[in-house]
Amino acid sequence: MGSRRIALVEDDADIAYTIRLNLRKHGWQVDHFVSGLRAIEAIEQKPYDLVILDLNLPDIDGLAVARELRQHDETRKITILMLTARVEERDKLLGFDVGADDYLTKPFSMKELVARVSAHLRRAASFDASEDDTYETEGLRIDRPRFEVTVGGRLVRLTKKEFDLLWYLVKNRGRVVTRDAILARLWDYDADVETRTVDVHIRSLRRKLGDRWIDTIVGVGYRFLERPEEK
């Protein structure tokens, strides 16, 4: 994991220095950017494994940066950890809606940040190392090696977290998957991620894929439907 590359987008010099110092102690390569626009340009030019992204930047805000990164094939799989002083739930949900994978509210401990980064890099490695596969049923096709999803032959762009969630549901098709199970697989319990986060990503998947594939089991979780008549 020592060769992992991290882009830090943070305009507070003191916070950025402390983050760089702590992450580099763990052997990770860290490039620091103050400008959101400059960060987008750099991240699109060379691969990063994770982006630590402050929500408040001097040129464009972190939401705009995340949204831009999710628009391009070269950058839409990168894990995005947002930093923010905003504590309102709607701000977090908006961040997840534009493609953030995780949220850390200021002030935070460096120990927690390092733990979050380590967990995300470890999880990304586990997904990368697991079996390459494709899945197809009645108009829906998922090509995991290519990170592509098509519905009726139409390419659908998913964020990395949306893709991982869809794949997790597909691998457990026919069974009800609880919100807690999804959080444990795709996020960390210790990351203080509310179960509504799962609902936001499910809602986004339905918006992009259509309503027929994912069934809600009220009070429990979700189930992937290979055929609409399974409802």
Side-chain angles (χ1 to χ4, degrees):
M1 195 177 292
S3 62
R4 296 289 186 169
R5 294 175 55 84
I6 298 171
L8 170 62
V9 191
E10 168 64 67
D11 66 327
D12 187 304
D14 293 335
I15 293 177
Y17 173 80
T18 306
I19 292 176
R20 288 201 313 272
L21 185 66
N22 280 270
L23 295 183
R24 286 171 177 170
K25 284 180 180 178
H26 287 74
W28 298 315
Q29 300 179 51
V30 183
D31 294 336
H32 175 220
F33 306 94
V34 174
S35 160
L37 293 172
R38 178 68 188 93
I40 292 171
E41 180 183 2
I43 294 168
E44 289 177 347
Q45 289 177 353
K46 58 182 178 181
Y48 286 90
D49 299 289
L50 184 140
V51 176
I52 300 175
L53 177 61
D54 187 28
L55 197 57
N56 297 310
L57 297 170
D59 48 1
I60 60 175
D61 66 23
L63 294 176
V65 175
R67 190 178 293 110
E68 180 66 21
L69 294 179
R70 293 310 188 208
Q71 294 299 313
H72 303 285
D73 292 339
E74 298 81 4
T75 56
R76 62 192 174 105
K77 291 177 65 176
I78 299 173
T79 298
I80 297 177
L81 169 58
M82 277 194 171
L83 306 179
T84 179
R86 304 177 188 175
V87 297
E88 294 293 330
E89 184 185 47
R90 64 175 178 271
D91 293 317
K92 292 185 179 182
L93 295 178
L94 180 58
F96 287 129
D97 206 32
V98 301
D101 295 288
D102 198 0
Y103 238 99
L104 198 53
T105 303
K106 298 178 181 178
F108 53 84
S109 71
M110 286 300 125
K111 183 178 180 180
E112 182 179 9
L113 175 65
V114 170
R116 297 270 191 106
V117 170
S118 180
H120 282 295
L121 293 177
R122 184 171 59 250
R123 186 177 296 109
S126 71
F127 269 102
D128 292 342
S130 58
E131 76 280 3
D132 287 339
D133 207 352
T134 59
Y135 173 79
E136 189 167 4
T137 181
E138 295 192 6
L140 174 68
R141 188 174 193 277
I142 306 171
D143 188 327
R144 193 161 179 272
R146 292 175 175 268
F147 197 77
E148 288 183 354
V149 175
T150 57
V151 175
R154 175 181 59 87
L155 183 65
V156 178
R157 293 187 178 275
L158 301 183
T159 69
K160 181 179 184 299
K161 192 65 72 178
E162 290 166 354
F163 188 94
D164 290 345
L165 174 56
L166 176 61
W167 186 253
Y168 183 60
L169 292 174
V170 166
K171 296 300 286 185
N172 290 277
R173 57 189 177 274
R175 299 194 296 269
V176 177
V177 182
T178 68
R179 290 176 175 83
D180 285 346
I182 294 171
L183 287 171
R185 183 65 182 93
L186 302 182
W187 287 273
D188 282 332
Y189 281 110
D190 294 339
D192 189 30
V193 178
E194 301 89 347
T195 55
R196 277 202 64 193
T197 299
V198 177
D199 300 335
V200 169
H201 284 80
I202 291 290
R203 186 171 68 238
S204 182
L205 278 176
R206 283 174 170 156
R207 185 175 66 244
K208 294 179 179 181
L209 303 177
D211 293 332
R212 63 178 292 190
W213 307 111
I214 302 173
D215 189 25
T216 299
I217 311 301
V218 178
V220 181
Y222 299 97
R223 180 167 59 113
F224 180 81
L225 303 175
E226 293 188 273
R227 294 173 297 277
E229 56 269 22
E230 292 175 343
K231 286 191 176 183

